[in-house]
Amino acid sequence: MEVFEAIRRRRSIRQYKPDEVPISEIEKVLQAANWAPSARNTQPWHFIVARGAKKDEFARLYGQIVERGMPPADRRTPDQERRLAWAHTLGKAPVVIIALTYRGDDPGRVKSSLESTSAALENLMLAATALGLGTCWMTGPLAEEARLREMFSIGSEWEIVATTPLGYPDGLPDPPARQDPEMKEKVTWIGFDER
Ligand SMILES: Cc1cc2nc3c(=O)[nH]c(=O)nc-3n(C[C@H](O)[C@H](O)[C@H](O)COP(=O)(O)O)c2cc1C
């Protein structure tokens, strides 16, 4: 798939088919992540890839986090119920990926390290799209960071950047509209008198 098409087709997928993702496909998306640019070429990322019981445990934690912010069951809207179902099961995705970035002991590097790993994660998501796989960038689970660290034995030298399910989408949501689609407000052109 051409890169512009992958960029346009990538969506946050919150419903997955139960089909397993072959390890060879998971390796392809991880390889795409590994080719991202990084500050001083530090390549500071690490990915935890989980399926089975650990993935289910992760989904239960996310479900608890989302449920906490909702009204009681008898006062929920259908949309809230949908969000909760997604959270409790991770939309039935077979795999979850946790993106970590090396924090080290230099506070000056935290920002560039986060940026590098964000670039890697976006590469991963675009590669997944090109392979017909779905993802959803999620930082919601970080609301229980301590439990997440314990669940996956993540040491303090690592910053948790984001998490994503990985699996085959069960339907594609409509793309949310872009704010300022012609980018009149979002871009400042300098020295382009023809515009
Ligand atoms: C930093 C970040 C954090 C996000 N956290 C969550 C999350 O915790 N749960 C979730 O369902 N979606 C999360 N999203 C997905 C956004 O809701 C989604 O990207 C946005 O609505 C636009 O939809 P699209 O990705 O299909 O273009 C997150 C996205 C980003 C970039």
Side-chain angles (χ1 to χ4, degrees):
M1 188 186 290
E2 194 248 342
V3 69
F4 284 96
E5 192 186 346
I7 289 168
R8 287 297 290 267
R9 285 177 69 111
R10 183 213 55 79
R11 288 276 69 73
S12 290
I13 302 298
R14 299 186 176 90
Q15 257 180 302
Y16 293 84
K17 295 180 180 154
D19 314 27
E20 283 296 332
V21 182
I23 293 179
S24 58
E25 298 292 271
I26 302 175
E27 284 170 344
K28 281 185 202 163
V29 302
L30 293 168
Q31 280 291 333
N34 212 26
W35 279 99
S38 62
R40 297 194 215 173
N41 195 25
T42 45
Q43 303 175 31
W45 42 76
H46 182 93
F47 297 96
I48 298 172
V49 185
R51 66 180 179 189
K54 253 315 172 206
K55 184 266 303 178
D56 292 342
E57 203 183 325
F58 172 88
R60 276 198 298 278
L61 175 64
Y62 185 46
Q64 286 168 14
I65 292 168
V66 172
E67 190 160 3
R68 236 173 22 211
M70 286 207 176
D74 58 342
R75 277 194 267 137
R76 283 181 207 143
T77 64
D79 188 52
Q80 285 172 327
E81 287 293 354
R82 264 194 299 278
R83 286 198 84 80
L84 199 54
W86 135 249
H88 275 304
T89 63
L90 217 53
K92 302 202 178 95
V95 174
V96 67
I97 296 177
I98 322 275
L100 309 179
T101 202
Y102 189 65
R103 191 190 340 226
D105 49 13
D106 180 357
R109 290 235 186 141
V110 173
K111 185 167 179 284
S112 64
S113 186
L114 278 170
E115 290 174 22
S116 304
T117 300
S118 297
L121 185 57
E122 179 70 2
N123 269 14
L124 183 154
M125 292 182 161
L126 294 177
T129 305
L131 294 171
L133 288 160
T135 56
C136 181
W137 194 301
M138 298 162 67
T139 54
L142 273 63
E144 285 285 354
E145 188 173 333
R147 284 176 66 192
L148 206 53
R149 284 183 178 279
E150 200 187 333
M151 194 179 288
F152 291 100
S153 306
I154 301 167
S156 58
E157 69 277 28
W158 295 95
E159 192 80 34
I160 307 175
V161 178
T163 66
T164 178
L166 183 74
Y168 292 99
D170 190 6
L172 290 178
D174 291 334
R178 294 295 100 184
Q179 298 164 12
D180 186 18
E182 282 163 31
M183 304 191 76
K184 288 191 181 350
E185 306 293 327
K186 287 189 187 289
V187 180
T188 302
W189 296 87
I190 297 174
F192 290 83
D193 298 339
E194 66 273 33
R195 284 191 62 96

